[in-house]
Amino acid sequence: MTTFTRLAIPDVILIQPARFGDERGYFCETYAKRAFDEAGIDLVFVQDNESLSRQVGVVRGLHFQTPVVSQAKLVRVARGAIFDVAVDLRKGSPSFGRWVAATLTAANGEQLLVPHGFAHGFCTLEAETLVAYKVDAPYSRPNDAGILWSDPDLAIDWPVAAAEAVLSDKDRALPRLRDFDTPFVL
C-alpha cells in the first residue's frame, strides 16, 4: 500500500510506494491513479520528464511555470540521490517564502509531490543521478520561470557550498524571491 505523508508545508507530500521484493529484487507501482484519488490528490499527469546529472553537487532550480500552465510535479529518483526542495510562492499562504525538503534516493523509492504554486529544485548527492518526474501541464517556454536557488532570504540548507554548486547559466541568473512578483494567490 502506498503511503502519503504531508510535510511541514502540508500541500507538499512525501509518497512511499509499496515495494514487493524477493530474491530477484522488487516490484512497485510508482504511480497508481486510484491510490492518488483515494488520498485526495486529483491530478492528471500529461508528460514524463527525465534529467541526468553527471556530478555530485549539480543544482537544478528553483523552477516553476506560471499560470495558466503552472505545473504540479511528482518527482522520483531512478538512480542516485537528491536533496529535493519545494518553496511556497503562493501570496496569502501562511507558508509563503518557506521551503521543505526531502532526500530522495533510488534505494528508498520515495517521491515528492510538488503542487501548483511552488518552486522546485534539487541538488544531486551522487554522481550519475537520474531523476524522473511527471507533470500535469506541458512545458511552456513563455511560462517558464524560476527564483535563485541560493536566495539568502529563503535560507535553504543546501548540501553543497555555493562555490561548489554546478549550475546552468540560466539558473545562476534567476531573480531573488523579493524581486519576483508572484502570480500565485491562495
Side-chain angles (χ1 to χ4, degrees), residues 43-49 70-72 133-139:
L43 295 171
V44 176
F45 294 109
V46 300
Q47 183 174 309
D48 284 1
N49 298 326
S70 65
Q71 293 176 324
Y133 57 100
K134 296 180 167 306
V135 294
D136 70 341
Y139 175 72

Side-chain angles (χ1 to χ4, degrees), residues 34-93:
R34 185 183 75 240
F36 276 62
D37 288 346
E38 289 171 1
I41 302 168
D42 184 25
L43 295 171
V44 176
F45 294 109
V46 300
Q47 183 174 309
D48 284 1
N49 298 326
E50 181 176 287
S51 70
L52 173 67
S53 298
R54 300 226 180 263
Q55 303 170 33
V56 172
V58 170
V59 175
R60 295 181 186 262
L62 298 159
H63 302 148
F64 54 92
Q65 284 190 179
T66 58
V68 297
V69 287
S70 65
Q71 293 176 324
K73 297 178 181 178
L74 178 60
V75 183
R76 70 183 183 90
V77 175
R79 181 176 63 226
I82 62 173
F83 178 76
D84 204 24
V85 176
V87 178
D88 192 347
L89 302 178
R90 302 169 302 167
K91 197 181 303 180
S93 167

Side-chain angles (χ1 to χ4, degrees), residues 112-136:
L112 194 66
L113 180 65
V114 181
H116 294 264
F118 282 74
H120 171 255
F122 63 83
C123 176
T124 58
L125 303 174
E126 295 180 14
E128 300 298 322
T129 291
L130 185 63
V131 176
Y133 57 100
K134 296 180 167 306
V135 294
D136 70 341

